[in-house]
Amino acid sequence: DQQVKQNSPSLSVQEGRISILNCDYTNSMFDYFLWYKKYPAEGPTFLISISSIKDKNEDGRFTVFLNKSAKHLSLHIVPSQPGDSAVYFCAANSRTQGGSEKLVFGKGTKLTVNP
Amino acid sequence: GAVVSQHPSRVICKSGTSVKIECRSLDFQATTMFWYRQFPKQSLMLMATSNEGSKATYEQGVEKDKFLINHASLTLSTLTVTSAHPEDSSFYICSASADYNSPLHFGNGTRLTVT
């Protein structure tokens, strides 16, 4: 059973427009959520996170929105740039029995920003 | 910022040999490191949680005798793929965090090809 779902495997937008990447989750015990960006043949890099007690976090062109009642979060990129083209992973954090973190990832959404 | 170094970035080995992958946190101490495997077109799959000074905790379905994990210090964890087979060919990524409230930082990954 997939706890973190990114239902859109790909998204294509024009440069300068808004990119909206969506993510749904099923486990109400997740305590924070993260977005990672991954270029081909590289490891994912942390982009932005949001605690479960907030509904919005903004960092430059990137804003993450969290709707706990709907168990939904989204990443907005405004304005989109060609260099934003990558695979974006949504991740949710839960604690293992030992108290350490465990990330649960979605399958990723490939964003293509066209010049 | 925090950096996690993973080495080697690429390795090709013959079937039946063993391969060691290193994961180092360069500017912070990581009590816990995680090892992931990425399959084509799929998200990262958590293989095991590596705790400094103790045995690793393996996820269900991951063979602990095949994927040996050693976390000898607060800055180094190693994954050894023993008696590698072509089906072990994959992209392996490690991650680490300084503490429970910090995001996970990922290494750049290791592309393993077993011929």
Side-chain angles (χ1 to χ4, degrees):
Chain A
D1 182 34
Q2 209 177 342
Q3 297 187 68
V4 177
K5 298 179 182 179
Q6 293 176 257
N7 292 318
S8 297
S10 63
L11 175 67
S12 183
V13 300
Q14 284 298 120
E15 182 178 5
R17 307 292 282 270
I18 183 171
S19 295
I20 300 177
L21 297 105
N22 294 303
C23 179
D24 297 292
Y25 62 96
T26 57
N27 188 346
S28 59
M29 298 304 292
F30 288 137
D31 59 359
Y32 68 88
F33 304 88
L34 309 94
W35 285 93
Y36 286 84
K37 177 179 178 180
K38 185 181 184 302
Y39 292 113
E42 295 182 9
T45 55
F46 169 72
L47 191 59
I48 192 170
S49 66
I50 186 168
S51 166
S52 60
I53 63 174
K54 295 188 175 182
D55 55 17
K56 178 182 176 181
N57 188 27
E58 188 173 354
D59 183 4
R61 296 186 296 113
F62 302 92
T63 303
V64 57
F65 295 92
L66 176 63
N67 183 332
K68 286 188 68 177
S69 60
K71 294 190 176 67
H72 176 84
L73 67 155
S74 60
L75 174 67
H76 292 212
I77 306 174
V78 182
S80 301
Q81 299 173 354
D84 296 329
S85 298
V87 177
Y88 290 79
F89 287 95
C90 169
N93 182 72
S94 62
R95 304 274 177 186
T96 64
Q97 284 187 338
S100 55
E101 293 182 320
K102 176 179 176 177
L103 279 180
V104 180
F105 284 87
K107 289 189 178 296
T109 296
K110 183 178 181 180
L111 173 66
T112 302
V113 180
N114 301 304
Chain B
V3 177
V4 173
S5 174
Q6 190 171 339
H7 178 80
S9 58
R10 290 181 180 272
V11 58
I12 301 173
C13 69
K14 292 188 175 181
S15 186
T17 61
S18 295
V19 174
K20 181 183 284 188
I21 303 169
E22 292 188 349
C23 181
R24 294 180 184 272
S25 57
L26 297 184
D27 57 359
F28 67 98
Q29 292 184 328
T31 305
T32 304
M33 291 185 174
F34 299 89
W35 287 95
Y36 301 84
R37 179 175 177 176
Q38 185 175 31
F39 294 92
K41 299 183 180 180
Q42 296 184 25
S43 63
L44 297 177
M45 180 194 78
L46 178 65
M47 297 175 65
T49 302
S50 170
N51 298 297
E52 188 266 337
S54 64
K55 291 183 178 181
T57 302
Y58 290 83
E59 296 298 303
Q60 191 172 7
V62 178
E63 299 176 62
K64 61 181 180 180
D65 294 330
K66 179 162 189 65
F67 298 99
L68 299 178
I69 292 173
N70 183 280
H71 195 154
S73 74
L74 285 171
T75 58
L76 174 64
S77 176
T78 60
L79 167 67
T80 301
V81 183
T82 62
S83 187
H85 288 100
E87 56 264 32
D88 298 326
S89 298
S90 191
F91 193 58
Y92 294 86
I93 305 174
C94 71
S95 69
S97 64
D99 56 55
Y100 299 148
N101 294 316
S102 298
L104 282 175
H105 296 278
F106 286 81
N108 280 329
T110 298
R111 170 66 62 187
L112 170 64
T113 303
V114 184
T115 60

